[in-house]
Amino acid sequence: MSSGRPCDRIKIALNADVKYWVAFNNIPGIGRVRLGQLESYFGGLEQAWKAPAGELKKAGLDAVALRAIGQFRDSIDPEAEMARLEHHGVQIIVCNDKIYPRRLKEIYDFPPVLYIRGSLKPEDEWCLAVVGTRRATIYGRQVTEEITADLARSKITIVSGLARGIDTVAHRTALEAGGRTIAVFASGLDIVYPAENEKLARDIMENGALLSEHPLGTRPRAENFPRRNRILSGLSLGVLVTEAGEDSGAMITAHMALEQNREVFAIPGSILSPASGGTNRLIQEGAKLVREHIDILEELNLMAVERQIEMREILPESENESVLLKQLSAEPSHIDEVCRKSGLPAATVSGTLAMMELKGLVKQVGTMNYVLARELRQEYRVRVE
């Protein structure tokens, strides 16, 4: 979730158009596709913001979008909106920024603008969504606490939705274990929902991030929650459902994760408990049954995350090593993909990777597939897509 450079905080994008991204994001119905049309036609959103309706129509906007812009544009002051965000300590990332979360941009309907309070860090690339019912049982709370604490101690960032029940337990447990956590809002970041989690939200800002796609002032309407769930799963390597009924919102998150080609994990429960009906069904449908956090780490090839994080701090001995380190992660990458992304000749990549493997910087985990590593003992599995 980074641009490849260690950083403590993501600053507001150094993008001259950012205030116009924010301004357009305040207009209902103007989403990523239409913003893409405008940027392509005008070469920048500042020109689009100032353009008359006739030019906007030439850019490809339909009558619905034109009406929305006509209705709202005059009441939105881009400069004032940025000042308001600064007052609330909100930072902005737009989807064409290099620091936009890499995995989130892989999903079909990724948000064009992200609002952030707190900080995202490079190590947040290794994150897992933990979700479940708002009406957690004693069993659900216990297993969520145990597994989340172990994941946090293993340097996995915990992503959840700040809701009552399992979400709250997951966030709080991650913080108590000394880990990082990200809360994704279904409202603007100036509205904590539920209000009882106000203090928890402040604590998360100190050791993680609050994140939303919605402008300030957006209320937590019912239709926002399913869309929020796609961000939970989109940010993450996978989704763990610890306790959920068959009609729980957590099941929506799990199904979105499957659509996004993410791993789905579930904690089994009593067949007599309605609170475990959803998790048991997920297991029946093929979700990975989880008894302890190791089950998740092994499935996702994350047994050595702490070492992978250390690797980000290693100074490469050559420019080629530096380039290749930025192309590799805990997930296996084929040498052909590394060549394509790095722009280096195949012979250079092959020779440099061989030297880096001898030095313990990378590990070959299958036929010409590589991961970042230092004296790794875990045997990685390479999935054939």
Side-chain angles (χ1 to χ4, degrees), residues 204-276:
I204 292 172
M205 286 172 57
E206 296 298 317
N207 294 278
L210 309 179
L211 185 151
S212 177
E213 66 176 321
H214 300 290
L216 295 179
T218 303
R219 306 298 303 178
R221 295 185 292 269
E223 62 268 24
N224 292 350
F225 288 91
R227 291 188 58 74
R228 183 274 308 273
N229 294 347
R230 87 189 192 288
I231 298 177
L232 287 174
S233 52
L235 282 169
S236 307
L237 288 161
V239 172
L240 169 65
V241 186
T242 59
E243 186 177 51
E246 294 202 47
D247 296 325
S248 171
M251 297 292 286
I252 297 175
T253 309
H255 291 137
M256 286 184 171
L258 290 172
E259 291 175 2
Q260 296 166 352
N261 199 29
R262 304 294 193 257
E263 297 290 345
V264 176
F265 305 90
I267 304 291
S270 169
I271 61 172
L272 303 178
S273 171
S276 291

Side-chain angles (χ1 to χ4, degrees), residues 8-179:
D8 292 331
R9 295 177 66 83
I10 291 179
K11 294 179 169 52
I12 290 179
L14 296 176
N15 181 332
D17 268 358
V18 67
K19 60 187 174 185
Y20 299 104
W21 282 86
V22 169
F24 272 117
N25 202 55
N26 276 267
I27 299 178
I30 305 300
R32 177 178 60 82
V33 173
R34 285 170 172 155
L35 286 174
Q37 288 178 300
L38 293 174
E39 190 177 41
S40 176
Y41 182 83
F42 290 101
L45 292 187
E46 179 178 2
Q47 295 85 343
W49 184 258
K50 298 174 180 178
E55 283 299 304
L56 294 174
K57 185 176 182 179
K58 289 179 182 178
L61 296 191
D62 58 20
V64 173
L66 291 172
R67 279 196 302 270
I69 292 173
Q71 180 180 352
F72 290 97
R73 180 165 55 176
D74 289 345
S75 65
I76 298 170
D77 181 344
E79 296 286 354
E81 187 63 25
M82 294 302 291
R84 186 176 172 219
L85 291 169
E86 185 175 0
H87 173 74
H88 285 277
V90 177
Q91 304 167 72
I92 299 298
I93 303 176
V94 302
C95 61
N96 62 4
D97 288 333
K98 292 182 179 179
I99 54 178
Y100 190 92
R102 176 175 61 85
R103 285 195 187 86
L104 185 57
K105 201 166 184 178
E106 293 173 354
I107 72 173
Y108 169 71
D109 191 19
F110 59 86
V113 176
L114 294 178
Y115 301 80
I116 297 169
R117 296 182 73 183
S119 63
L120 297 179
K121 293 189 174 182
E123 55 263 40
D124 294 332
E125 180 177 342
W126 293 280
C127 63
L128 184 84
V130 179
V131 297
T133 178
R134 287 170 168 79
R135 297 179 292 276
T137 67
I138 293 174
Y139 167 76
R141 291 178 179 274
Q142 180 182 351
V143 296
T144 302
E145 288 173 355
E146 291 180 359
I147 292 179
T148 301
D150 287 337
L151 289 169
R153 284 191 283 264
S154 298
K155 305 300 183 183
I156 304 299
T157 296
I158 303 301
V159 179
S160 200
L162 203 70
R164 294 185 181 96
I166 296 300
D167 290 20
T168 294
V169 173
H171 288 305
R172 185 171 291 127
T173 301
L175 295 174
E176 291 173 352

Side-chain angles (χ1 to χ4, degrees), residues 297-314:
L297 298 184
E298 288 182 340
E299 185 72 15
L300 294 176
N301 293 337
L302 297 178
M303 291 297 290
V305 169
E306 192 164 8
R307 289 192 180 275
Q308 300 292 345
I309 293 173
E310 290 174 3
M311 289 298 302
R312 295 295 175 94
E313 305 302 323
I314 292 176

